[in-house]
Amino acid sequence: MKRYWSIAIAAALMVAAVIVIGHAIGAGERDARTPAAASIERPLPILTEAGVFERSSKGASLKDVKPGPGQPERHLPAYYARRSYPGGPPAIPHDLVDDQSMGGKSCLACHLDGGWAPKFNAFTPVTPHPELINCRSCHVHPENKSSFQPTTFQPAQTAAVPKGAIPGAPPAIPHELDMRSNCIACHGGPAAPVEIRTTHPERSNCRQCHVTGARPFAAFTREGGQ
Amino acid sequence: MNRREMLIRMAGAAAITAATELVPGVSFAAPATTDSINGLTWKKAPCRFCGTGCGLLIGISNNRAVAVKGDPASAVNKGLCCVKGYHSVLALYGADRLKTALIRKNGKLVPAPINEALDLVASKLKENIAQHGKDSVAIYGSGQWTIPDGYCASKLFKGAIGTNNVEGNARLCMASAVTGFMTTFGLDEPMGCYEDIENADVFILWGNNMAEMHPVLFSRMLERRQQSPGTLVVDLATRTTRTSMAADRSILFLPQTDLAIANAIAYELIRNNWLHSTFLQRHVSFHAGKTNIGYGLEDKFAFTDEPRTIDFAAYKKALEDYKPEKVEKLSGVPAREIRYLAGLYGDPKKRVVSFWCMGMNQHTRGTWIQNLVYNIHLLTGKIATPGNSPFSLTGQPSACGTVREVGTLTNRLPHGEVTDPHSREMAAKIWGVPVSNIAPKPTLHTVEMFRALDRGDLKFIWIQVTNPMVTMPKLKRYRDGLKKENRFVVVSDVYPTPTTDIADVVLPSAMWIEREGMFGNSERRTQHWEKMVDPPGEAMSDTWQLIEVARRMGHGKLFAYKPETHIKEIWEEYRQFHHGPAHEMASYDELRQRPGIMWPFVNGKETRWRYNPKHDPAAKPGDTHHFYGKPDQKAWIWFRPYEPPPEMPDKDYPFWLNTGRVVEHWHTGSMTRRIPVLHQAMPNAYVELHPNDAKRFNIKNGDSVRLTSRRGTILLPALIDRRGRPPEGQVFVPFFDESKLINELTLDAFCPISKQPDYKKCAVKVEKAL
Ligand code: SF4
C-alpha cells in the first residue's frame, strides 16, 4: 500500500513540475516576435469528478421548486426514449428555434438554467456541459420517424433506479459519469424525471454519500491476512 | 458560468502532453480499458468516421457493442464525440447486413459460400492477367481501409502481380493536399498537430465548414476562444453555414477566387513589409511552374509541371496583378476585407492557424491553392511552431494512415514514388519479390481508372470499403462503363449499395471493431483497436480477403501470416518502410497500449512539430527551422496565378452547384442511414437555395426542384434558410443520398497535378418542378 502512495506522490510532483516547466518550454519556443498571450491557469481536471460541484450553488434555490398544478412532470421512460442507449446524447424533441445559430445563442438561452417553458408545456432540462456550445454536433433533431433500413441494435441495459444497501442508506450511482458528472443538472429541479429527482438538492457534495456502484469487482480480500 | 467551468474540460490535454514531453513513453492519461459498470466492458477504438480520429470507448456486452463514450485519455477529443461517433456502433446492426458472399448467376446476385466467391475472384484475376496482361486488373480502395488492408492490397497488386493499378477513394478527397505538401515541402502530411488549437490567436478557415465536418475539432477551437478572449475565428467561404454562425467574421467569396485572394494577401504582406525576413532568407526559395494547365476533361489527359526557380523580385512582380482592388472585382470580397486578412496574418503578435479540407482539395487548381496558402505562412514565418500552422485537415479516418502513408495510390509505394529506383528496391526487399516485379511508372489515377473500365482497357476491378457508384463525378458515364460486357467487378462491403448492385461478386466484410486494425488520422496519429465482437455470418475482414485471394493466386509465401497474429505481423513488416527519424512509427505493442501515437515516434517520443529542431529529431539543430524535405533544404514559395474553372454559370445554366456533406451522415450514408437517429434527423438530400432565388422561382421550403446540368438532371426538395444559405446564384446539395444522386450532375474535371476532381463547382439550371 505504501508503495502506491509514494508513486502517487511522485506522480503529483511530476505533474506539478510539468505544468511549470511546460509553461517555460511554451514561452521559449514562440516566434521571437510573438509575445506570449496571457498565460492561463490550467488546473488538472479529472473528467468524471470535474462537474460534481458545478451548479451546487443553484441547488439550494431548487429546494422548494416543484411543478405546479397542471405542469406535467417528466418520467424516466421519456428520458430514455430520447437516447439510442443509456449515456447516448439525447435527440432534440422539439422544433428548432433557429436552425442556423450556434447553441450558445439559441439552445443555451433555455437549457443553461432551465425553467418553465409555456410553449412546450414542460420544464426545460438543464445541460450538464454548458461549456460546449456546438450543441447540434451531438444532439440532432428528428425530421420524421421514417426508417431507411430496420436495425437490430440492442442498446445497453438501462440501469435500475438503485436502492440503498440497507434501509435509509444512500443509493449508489448506477451509471457512467463521463459528460454527466454534474449531478444537479439531471437530478435537481422540476425538469428532473420524478424517479431520479433528488429530495435534497441543497446538499451540494453529492458524492460524499453517493458512490459509483454496481462494479463487479472481485470480492475484497486481505493480502497476507491470517 | 464561471471561468473554471469553461477551463476545466480543456485543461487536461496540455498538461498531459507536457508531461509526455518530460517523461517520454509514460502515459499520464487514465488507462482506457476494462472499468465496468452494469456488466459492460469498455474497449478503445478510433472513431469509424471522420479524419479527426476521436478516441472512443466501446461498451461491449455479450459479444455485442451496446454503448459508446468519448475516451477521456485520447489527446484528440478528451472525452467528447460528435453525434456520428456516439452512434457509431449502431452501424454494425442494420438488418440488411451482408452476411454471405453473393455471386451473379444468370444476371442475378445469389448467395454463395465465401470460399466459392474467393476462388472465383482469384481465377478471374489470373484469367485476365493471362489474357490481357497485368495492367488489365485493378484494386480501388479507400481512406477507410485499415492500414493492414491497404498494405496487403499494395503488396498483392504492386509487389506480387506487378501492376500500379492501385488507387483509393482518397484520390477524390485529399490528393491535392498531398501534392500541395510535396510541391512546397517535399514531404507529405502536416507539420503541426491539433495542439496548435490551444496555442493559436487566430483561426482562418478556408472553405471549411468545420462545425459539421470536423465537429470535435471545431468544439476544441471554440473552447480555445472561450478560454482566451480575443481569439478570432474567421470563416472564409463560398456559403453561409453553421460554421459562419459561430465565427467572429464571415467573408464570402465567389467560387475559385480563393486563388486570387491568397495572392492578394501575399501582395499586401509584401507591400507593408509584414515579412519575416530572416526566416525567408534562411528557409525559403522561390519557384514558378506551368500555367494554363488544363482540366483533365479528356481521356488520357497528361500533365507534367516544369518548375523553375525564380527570385523574390520576380515573385513580387508577378503579384502586382493581385492588388486587393482588382481582386475585389473578381472575388466579390471587398479590398478592406482582404487587407484585414493580411493584417491578421501579418501581425507579429498573432499566432495563426489556417484550416482547410475539401474546399481547397476538391478544386481544379487544388495543388495551387495549397501552395498559395503555404506561401502566406512562409512569408510571415508562421509555421511549425505551436499555434502557427497551415493545417490541411483530412476527411476520412485513415486517408493519412492508409492511403498517404501506405501509399495506396498508383504513383506511390509504402515509401516513396514508384518512379524512384531506391524506393522500388526497398519495397522489393521488404516484400521479398524481385525488384523487376515493381513497375516503374504510374498507371491509372482514379478518374482515369474508371474511364479505362468504360473504354475496356481495364477488365477487372476489386472495390473495397467505398461506394463509387454514388461518389464518382459525372456518374452516368462510369456506371454505364462498369455495366458493360466483359468487365468483372468485385465489391467488398458491409451493406448493399448502388455499387454492390452492379457487382459480379460481393464479398461480405467484417467492419471496424469486428476485426483488429489501425487507422491514421489528420495529425499523424496512428490508432490501434482490437477485435471486440464477432462479424456476422461469413463476413471476413478486407485484409483477410486479400490474403485468401493472394494464396489462391499462388502468392502464399508472401502472405504467410497467421490468423491470430496477422495484424501484428503485417504492422511490424510495414513499419520497416518508415524506419528513420523522419517517419519512425511506434511498435505494435506500444500502439496496443496507448490511445494513439503521433509519428515520427523516436526514442519513445512523439513529434508534435515537424521541421522544428526543438521537436523534430530529423531536423538539424542550430536554427529555428529545418525544411529537410526538398533537395535545397528549403520550403518552396510558388507563384501560382488565378485561372478560371472549366465550367462557369452562363445563360443556359445560370447557377453554381456546390456539393458536400452534413454532420449526420458519413459519405454515401451506407452506414449512417442505417442508424435510426441519424436517418431521422437527415432523411434525404435537398437543394439549398438563397431565399431571393427561391422567391424568384416561387419555390417554398419542401417544394420539388429540378436541377439540370449538361450531364444529368434530378429532383430534390428545396431547403431554404435551414442548414445553410448559399449566396444568390448558387445552390448546394449533399451527396449522401443514393436515391438522389447529385453526382449525375457534377463534372469530372480535376487538378492536373493531383488528379483530384472538383465537386464544388459546375453550372446548373434551377426549375420549380410541377
Ligand atoms: S468528429 Fe469525426 S472522429 Fe470525432 S466522433 Fe465525430 S465523426 Fe467521429
Side-chain angles (χ1 to χ4, degrees):
Chain A
M1 201 57 203
K2 222 169 126 198
R3 216 178 65 206
Y4 293 118
W5 272 113
S6 49
I7 291 174
I9 290 166
L13 285 174
M14 219 141 52
V15 169
V18 159
I19 294 171
V20 174
I21 296 168
H23 268 292
I25 293 172
E29 73 196 0
R30 284 192 192 98
D31 185 316
R33 305 185 309 162
T34 308
S39 70
I40 291 166
E41 193 195 333
R42 289 172 181 271
L44 254 192
I46 304 166
L47 288 179
T48 51
E49 304 288 323
V52 181
F53 295 103
E54 303 308 338
R55 292 167 194 283
S56 55
S57 56
K58 294 223 164 71
S61 66
L62 294 173
K63 187 166 171 354
D64 299 315
V65 185
K66 304 236 159 53
Q71 292 185 322
E73 298 188 287
R74 285 214 299 162
H75 289 272
L76 266 186
Y79 178 91
Y80 282 128
R82 307 241 186 280
R83 291 152 171 85
S84 293
Y85 55 87
I92 303 169
H94 56 76
D95 283 347
L96 299 167
V97 179
D98 176 354
D99 206 358
Q100 290 184 337
S101 71
M102 268 286 131
K105 291 174 196 132
S106 51
C107 313
L108 284 181
C110 299
H111 291 282
L112 180 62
D113 289 325
W116 175 249
K119 183 174 171 192
F120 300 115
N121 195 34
F123 283 97
T124 313
V126 172
T127 175
H129 42 252
E131 72 282 9
L132 299 170
I133 61 165
N134 187 10
C135 307
R136 286 190 298 134
S137 72
C138 298
H139 303 282
V140 295
H141 171 244
E143 291 288 322
N144 58 33
K145 287 273 158 223
S146 69
S147 154
F148 180 69
Q149 290 291 334
T151 183
T152 64
F153 176 69
Q154 296 156 4
Q157 295 272 305
T158 54
V161 177
K163 295 194 175 60
I166 53 170
I173 300 169
H175 59 74
E176 305 285 334
L177 291 172
D178 307 76
M179 306 289 290
R180 291 186 288 165
S181 62
N182 179 355
C183 312
I184 209 79
C186 300
H187 293 281
V194 182
E195 296 86 345
I196 59 168
R197 191 188 299 151
T198 174
T199 55
H200 45 273
E202 74 283 9
R203 296 192 195 285
S204 56
N205 188 5
C206 311
R207 286 172 62 197
Q208 114 185 359
C209 300
H210 302 280
V211 295
T212 48
R215 290 168 193 246
F217 284 142
F220 172 70
T221 51
R222 285 181 63 214
E223 259 174 66
Q226 292 293 313
Chain B
M1 209 186 325
N2 65 29
R3 193 169 158 79
R4 193 177 149 259
E5 274 177 289
M6 291 191 179
L7 293 182
I8 203 125
R9 276 185 38 79
M10 292 306 296
I16 286 170
T17 345
T20 321
E21 174 98 342
L22 263 196
V23 193
V26 177
S27 179
F28 279 76
T33 43
T34 54
D35 194 13
S36 113
I37 290 186
N38 302 321
L40 297 192
T41 307
W42 295 97
K43 294 187 172 170
K44 75 168 171 95
C47 176
R48 169 67 184 75
F49 299 118
C50 88
T52 300
C54 293
L56 310 185
L57 293 174
I58 313 289
I60 306 289
S61 165
N62 294 326
N63 196 20
R64 293 192 49 111
V66 295
V68 178
K69 56 186 189 176
D71 183 352
S74 166
V76 173
N77 55 315
K78 303 162 215 165
L80 179 69
C81 306
C82 83
V83 70
K84 287 187 298 304
Y86 280 121
H87 294 96
S88 51
V89 296
L90 276 76
L92 273 54
Y93 299 112
D96 57 343
R97 243 333 260 281
L98 293 170
K99 300 186 179 104
T100 61
L102 304 170
I103 296 177
R104 193 170 296 277
K105 289 176 181 163
N106 301 322
K108 283 190 93 162
L109 283 173
V110 293
I114 194 155
N115 279 322
E116 185 187 328
L118 292 164
D119 287 344
L120 179 60
V121 173
S123 69
K124 281 284 171 185
L125 268 166
K126 284 197 289 193
E127 183 187 307
N128 276 298
I129 294 167
Q131 279 179 22
H132 307 288
K134 54 197 177 139
D135 284 338
S136 69
V137 302
I139 188 159
Y140 180 58
S142 166
Q144 297 156 74
W145 254 345
T146 68
I147 292 172
D149 299 339
Y151 182 75
C152 287
S154 179
K155 186 173 175 180
L156 173 59
F157 279 76
K158 297 201 171 205
I161 296 174
T163 175
N164 282 324
N165 287 342
V166 177
E167 278 278 293
N169 65 0
R171 178 72 73 182
L172 314 178
C173 145
M174 37 55 24
S176 304
V178 177
T179 48
F181 277 114
M182 298 305 290
T183 46
T184 299
F185 303 101
L187 287 171
D188 189 21
E189 297 204 26
M191 55 290 304
C193 62
Y194 296 159
E195 246 182 90
D196 282 317
I197 297 172
E198 281 78 43
N199 290 284
D201 303 306
V202 178
F203 296 89
I204 304 201
L205 314 181
W206 289 77
N208 189 11
N209 181 9
M210 265 177 102
E212 291 198 71
M213 307 324 156
H214 294 84
V216 166
L217 292 181
F218 190 72
S219 295
R220 201 165 153 175
M221 184 173 72
L222 296 190
E223 287 179 79
R224 163 67 183 168
R225 188 173 66 179
Q226 283 178 321
Q227 283 173 34
S228 181
T231 303
L232 275 178
V233 177
V234 181
D235 175 47
L236 179 58
T238 58
R239 157 179 173 250
T240 305
T241 63
R242 198 180 276 179
T243 301
S244 328
M245 295 300 144
D248 297 284
R249 191 128 166 181
S250 158
I251 300 173
L252 289 174
F253 62 90
L254 286 166
Q256 191 87 354
T257 65
D258 43 358
L259 297 159
I261 294 167
N263 274 334
I265 292 171
Y267 171 86
E268 278 294 302
L269 291 172
I270 294 175
R271 192 180 65 87
N272 293 293
N273 198 23
W274 288 332
L275 307 173
H276 194 320
S277 42
T278 42
F279 176 89
L280 279 176
Q281 268 158 25
R282 288 203 206 130
H283 303 298
V284 172
S285 56
F286 294 85
H287 307 264
K290 275 194 193 166
T291 56
N292 273 322
I293 61 177
Y295 303 99
L297 283 164
E298 53 285 1
D299 279 34
K300 300 188 179 177
F301 170 90
F303 173 80
T304 319
D305 207 358
E306 282 163 16
R308 60 201 152 79
T309 304
I310 57 173
D311 59 9
F312 177 74
Y315 172 67
K316 185 177 165 189
K317 179 142 192 299
L319 288 178
E320 291 289 321
D321 270 349
Y322 297 92
K323 296 202 171 86
E325 275 70 19
K326 196 168 165 199
V327 171
E328 169 173 341
K329 289 202 191 83
L330 183 72
S331 66
V333 179
R336 65 170 171 358
E337 299 277 335
I338 295 172
R339 296 211 169 88
Y340 167 77
L341 288 167
L344 292 176
Y345 279 111
D347 181 348
K349 293 199 189 67
K350 291 193 162 68
R351 290 160 292 176
V352 187
V353 169
S354 302
F355 275 128
W356 68 88
C357 196
M358 291 311 134
M360 271 170 51
N361 293 355
Q362 295 178 335
H363 195 309
T364 48
R365 294 292 177 266
T367 311
W368 287 9
I369 184 63
Q370 324 263 335
N371 294 147
L372 294 176
V373 173
Y374 292 130
N375 288 355
I376 297 172
H377 283 266
L378 291 170
L379 288 168
T380 52
K382 292 189 179 180
I383 192 164
T385 55
N388 283 318
S389 195
F391 206 120
S392 159
L393 295 170
T394 200
Q396 304 187 73
S398 202
C400 285
T402 306
V403 178
R404 295 160 74 164
E405 291 159 27
V406 178
T408 49
L409 295 168
T410 183
N411 52 312
R412 300 286 296 174
L413 287 165
H415 178 99
E417 297 277 319
V418 293
T419 46
D420 170 33
H422 168 74
S423 298
R424 290 202 302 277
E425 272 159 33
M426 179 193 272
K429 184 154 159 269
I430 295 174
W431 285 342
V433 299
V435 70
S436 56
N437 265 29
I438 303 173
K441 274 204 186 124
T443 47
L444 307 167
H445 58 83
T446 297
V447 171
E448 197 52 40
M449 191 177 262
F450 283 86
R451 285 177 182 169
L453 279 160
D454 181 34
R455 292 194 301 264
D457 308 349
L458 198 58
K459 308 281 185 202
F460 172 106
I461 189 165
W462 186 352
I463 298 167
Q464 287 195 320
V465 218
T466 187
N467 192 2
M469 292 302 102
V470 177
T471 54
M472 284 303 289
K474 194 176 168 181
L475 188 51
K476 184 170 184 304
R477 172 177 182 195
Y478 302 114
R479 187 178 45 233
D480 291 350
L482 259 66
K483 289 204 302 213
K484 283 182 179 163
E485 283 296 303
N486 300 322
R487 312 287 189 279
F488 199 81
V489 180
V490 180
V491 179
S492 304
D493 212 327
V494 297
Y495 288 110
T497 66
T499 307
T500 63
D501 286 349
I502 59 150
D504 295 290
V505 174
V506 177
L507 297 171
S509 293
M511 73 180 277
W512 189 36
I513 55 172
E514 293 167 350
R515 41 81 50 95
E516 184 183 3
M518 299 95 172
F519 283 155
N521 80 352
S522 276
E523 61 164 355
R524 296 175 276 111
R525 184 179 296 279
T526 316
Q527 312 198 65
H528 169 273
W529 71 93
E530 60 180 278
K531 179 182 166 191
M532 301 179 200
V533 296
D534 289 325
E538 287 205 292
M540 181 186 276
S541 77
D542 297 312
T543 304
W544 202 257
Q545 291 173 14
L546 286 156
I547 293 172
E548 287 287 342
V549 168
R551 288 178 178 171
R552 284 164 166 79
M553 293 177 72
H555 301 300
K557 263 214 220 103
L558 303 179
F559 293 85
Y561 312 117
K562 295 187 204 65
E564 321 78 58
T565 51
H566 65 292
I567 299 296
K568 178 175 182 166
E569 293 171 65
I570 291 168
W571 176 261
E572 292 298 339
E573 179 183 315
Y574 159 59
R575 143 174 127 88
Q576 298 173 59
F577 280 96
H578 294 310
H579 184 57
H583 209 310
E584 189 76 49
M585 308 289 260
S587 72
Y588 174 83
D589 294 331
E590 283 161 313
L591 284 175
R592 264 196 92 94
Q593 276 159 25
R594 297 173 43 159
I597 299 179
M598 276 190 283
W599 61 263
F601 183 69
V602 178
N603 297 327
K605 213 173 132 183
E606 297 181 324
T607 302
R608 289 177 292 159
W609 287 280
R610 292 162 90 196
Y611 311 131
N612 178 331
K614 283 196 193 117
H615 296 271
D616 183 348
K620 260 207 314 272
D623 203 339
T624 56
H625 292 76
H626 175 210
F627 294 98
Y628 49 81
K630 285 282 192 189
D632 65 356
Q633 310 284 294
K634 297 209 161 147
W636 287 20
I637 282 184
W638 286 88
F639 173 72
R640 304 287 201 187
Y642 166 83
E643 284 181 5
E647 186 178 275
M648 287 172 84
D650 57 18
K651 178 162 99 318
D652 300 328
Y653 298 92
F655 279 77
W656 284 107
L657 168 66
N658 180 10
T659 71
R661 278 184 45 221
V662 290
V663 65
E664 291 87 352
H665 287 303
W666 174 248
H667 277 192
T668 61
S670 59
M671 290 177 285
T672 46
R673 296 187 89 196
R674 287 171 170 89
I675 298 174
V677 56
L678 298 180
H679 169 69
Q680 288 167 8
M682 186 52 80
N684 52 264
Y686 54 84
V687 53
E688 216 171 63
L689 297 133
H690 189 278
N692 291 350
D693 287 330
K695 210 185 278 167
R696 206 149 53 84
F697 289 92
N698 193 21
I699 294 168
K700 295 186 303 302
N701 235 334
D703 284 355
S704 184
V705 173
R706 176 175 297 284
L707 286 191
T708 309
S709 78
R710 288 180 178 84
R711 294 152 294 279
T713 181
I714 57 166
L715 291 174
L716 290 153
L719 203 65
I720 299 150
D721 266 2
R722 298 289 299 274
R723 191 57 65 90
R725 185 197 308 132
E728 282 182 61
Q730 301 187 29
V731 295
F732 172 85
V733 180
F735 73 92
F736 68 83
D737 189 340
E738 64 174 60
S739 62
K740 296 183 168 53
L741 290 168
I742 191 58
N743 281 316
E744 304 280 13
L745 275 62
T746 48
L747 183 64
D748 58 351
F750 52 79
C751 167
I753 303 174
S754 71
K755 325 289 193 258
Q756 173 168 359
D758 187 333
Y759 291 88
K760 303 292 188 188
K761 300 167 206 85
C762 72
V764 295
K765 157 165 92 185
V766 174
E767 295 159 294
K768 184 172 175 175
L770 297 169

